[in-house]
Amino acid sequence: MTESAPAVAIRGLERTFPTAAGDVHALTGIDLDVRPGEFVSLIGPSGCGKSTLLRLIADLDRPTSGELSVFGKPAPRARVDQDYGIAFQQAGLLPWRTVADNVGLPLQLHGARKADRAARVAELLDMVGLAEFAGRFPDQLSGGMQQRVAIARALAEKPKLLLMDEPFGALDEMTREKMQSDLLRIRAETGAAVVFVTHSIPEAVYLSDRVVVMSPRPGRISGILEMRLEGGADRGEDLREDEAYFAMVTAVREALHGGEPAGRGVETR
Ligand SMILES: Nc1ncnc2c1ncn2[C@@H]1O[C@H](COP(=O)(O)OP(=O)(O)OP(=O)(O)O)[C@@H](O)[C@H]1O
Ligand SMILES: [Mg+2]
């Protein structure tokens, strides 16, 4: 890992899916850098290529053309090196393994010693507030708890980058706000960069250093908005009632609807 390299660097990225009905231009002309430790959200209408972009970063798919590196390395190398953790909309837990064994799975797969694994799993479950549930099975947990298990698992190997695709999409509003605060705290504790896909404007604003607005057909970046909000990475619940926060919500909404973003402290590209 090159220390000074961006967490993610993308240049001229294209992804076209050949289908029977013709080519689908899922992504075109994507340029984006994510700094180490930075929280970047991707927001945009359904089908604009958010998941495709995340999958390309995670090396779950290959670009048609363009360049993509993760901590200065080609995406396949970063995957082998376990430079990032992934959490998607579905928690994707293994139902036959306990909570602790789900969280410890990546460590087990990579040959961590049993005692080290147990210590790390305990630390992670504590971090996501599930210490008491270590011995339970996924179907004995609520959706929000399952999602926290998935996040703990994604953090198991202390990745410097987290890739999250609508991880809180299925949760009720109260749980969702709690998970957002938890994620900010975890991110402050781990210093990880995050690329976060969401459909929620308030969620993107609350969490992000920058919000990337995308538009469909073909999917491209239509604007990048800097969230200059109080508290930096240490944002508290008060922020949700802050005037600057509402101004950012409005700015992102306007950018999404194709207008010129308005408001103080907003920049586009
Ligand atoms: N494997 C594939 N084969 C063909 N087309 C695909 C494939 N994967 C994605 N697409 C198309 O690429 C476009 C972008 O899809 P993608 O899943 O990235 O959108 P999204 O922004 O994540 O949408 P949503 O908000 O609904 O999750 C869509 O038009 C989709 O149909
Ligand atoms: Mg998607």
Side-chain angles (χ1 to χ4, degrees), residues 46-47 49-52 89 165-166 197 199:
S46 184
K50 304 178 295 294
S51 297
T52 301
Q89 186 166 18
D165 194 349
E166 300 189 51
V197 173
H199 278 286

Side-chain angles (χ1 to χ4, degrees), residues 69-122:
S69 66
V70 177
F71 295 110
K73 309 179 223 184
R77 180 74 234 169
R79 175 155 67 103
V80 170
D81 291 353
Q82 300 291 314
D83 283 343
Y84 49 81
I86 306 176
F88 289 157
Q89 186 166 18
Q90 302 299 330
L93 305 175
L94 300 177
W96 59 88
R97 293 177 74 111
T98 63
V99 164
D101 287 345
N102 266 285
V103 172
L105 182 62
L107 302 168
Q108 192 180 352
L109 290 177
H110 293 107
R113 282 177 36 235
K114 204 171 172 190
D116 295 343
R117 209 162 75 211
R120 178 71 182 142
V121 167

Side-chain angles (χ1 to χ4, degrees), residues 117-135:
R117 209 162 75 211
R120 178 71 182 142
V121 167
E123 187 179 67
L124 287 159
L125 288 179
D126 207 38
M127 190 186 272
V128 297
L130 290 175
E132 297 155 54
F133 297 89

Side-chain angles (χ1 to χ4, degrees), residues 232-259:
D234 250 346
R235 291 169 190 180
E237 286 297 323
D238 292 354
L239 181 74
R240 295 186 198 276
E241 293 172 10
D242 197 281
E243 202 177 313
Y245 167 78
F246 288 124
M248 292 297 163
V249 168
T250 304
V252 173
R253 178 172 294 118
E254 287 178 358
L256 258 176
H257 290 281

